Amino acid sequence: MSSELNLVLVGPPGAGKGTQASRLVKDFDLPFIATGDILRQNVADDTELGVQAKQYMDKGELLPDELIVNLIMDRLQQDDAKRGFILDGFPRTVPQAEALDSAMTAADRKLTAVVVIEVPDEDLIDRLSGRRVNPTTGRTYHIKFDPPKHEGVDDIDGTKLIQRDDDKPETIANRLKVYHSQTAPVIGYYDRPEAQNKGLVRRIDGTRDPDEVYRHIRALVATVRLEDTL
Ligand code: AP5
C-alpha cells in the first residue's frame, strides 16, 4: 500500500495544476484524472452530464457534489487507477474530500500527498485571461508566459487554439470567489489536527517558472516516498 503514489493537486484556477500534471504524468506514468477535462469532454460530446455541467461551468460555479462524486469514485475503481493516480480538480469541496477519504479507507488505500500550488489572485487573472488551449488535446499555452511558436496554432498538430469559455473576465472573477469560499477549506480539512494522515498537505510556491515549480514538486514527491518507507 505504501508504494502507491496517490496525489491530489489543489490550487486556485490558473495555479498551474494542469501544467504540472502533464509533467508528472510523463515521469510517473500514472493516470491523470482531471474533473475539468472530463466535464469539458462531456460538454463537447453533448452528453446528459455535459449539458448539465455547462450551465455551471459557464458561470464559474461548481457542479453539485452528487454529480461529481460518483463520476470520480467510478473512475478511481478502474484498473489503471489501482496502482496510483494524480487527481486534479477533485476534491473541490469538503463533502467531496470526505467522500474520497471514505472510498480510500474502504479500499485500504491512502493518499500520498495533497500538493497545494499557491499563487496570488492578481497573477491568476493574467494567467487565465492569456491562456489558450488546443480544443482536441487540451494542450495549454499562454500568450505571454508560454506562447506557441506560431501565433494561435498548436506547436505539435497545428490545431487552431481557442480561449476557454470560462476564461472570460467576469467568469474568472467568480471562479476565484468560489475557490476561496468552497475549495480553500479542503486544505484545512486535510490539515486538521484530528486527520488520520498527518503531514499530507505540502505547499508549493506556484509563482515561479513552470520548470522550477516542477522541480519542487518532484523533490517533494521523492521526500514523501522516502518518509513513507521509514
Ligand atoms: P477546471 O478545469 O478544474 O478548472 P480550474 O481549477 O479553474 O483550473 P484551471 O484548469 O483553470 O487551471 P490550472 O491550475 O490547471 O492552470 P493551467 O495549468 O492551465 O474546472 C473547470 C470547471 O469545472 C469548474 O469551474 C467547475 O464548474 C467544474 N468542476 C471541475 N471539478 C469540479 C468538482 N470537483 N466539483 C464541482 N465542479 C467541478 O495554467 C493556467 C495558465 O497559466 C496557462 O496558460 C499556463 O500556460 C500558465 N502557467 C501555468 N504555470 C505557470 C507559471 N508557473 N508561470 C506562468 N504561467 C504559468
Side-chain angles (χ1 to χ4, degrees), residues 130-148:
R131 172 165 57 187
R132 298 293 181 270
V133 292
N134 177 326
T136 316
T137 63
R139 200 167 14 254
T140 299
Y141 298 86
H142 190 282
I143 52 173
K144 248 195 303 188
F145 309 131
D146 183 18

Side-chain angles (χ1 to χ4, degrees), residues 11-20 34-37 39-40 53 56-58 60-65 68 72 88-93 96 127-128 130-133 140-143 145-146 164 166-167 175 206-211 213:
K17 303 179 295 293
T19 301
Q20 297 303 325
T35 44
D37 291 348
L39 295 174
R40 278 185 289 279
Y56 295 94
M57 295 170 83
D58 283 354
E61 299 289 339
L62 299 183
L63 274 73
D65 289 334
I68 286 287
I72 298 303
D88 166 6
F90 186 94
R92 227 173 170 112
T93 63
Q96 291 181 16
R127 285 191 189 183
L128 293 171
R131 172 165 57 187
R132 298 293 181 270
V133 292
T140 299
Y141 298 86
H142 190 282
I143 52 173
F145 309 131
D146 183 18
R164 263 170 53 174
D166 59 351
D167 280 347
R175 287 165 67 200
T207 60
R208 294 160 190 268
D209 167 80
D211 288 336
V213 175

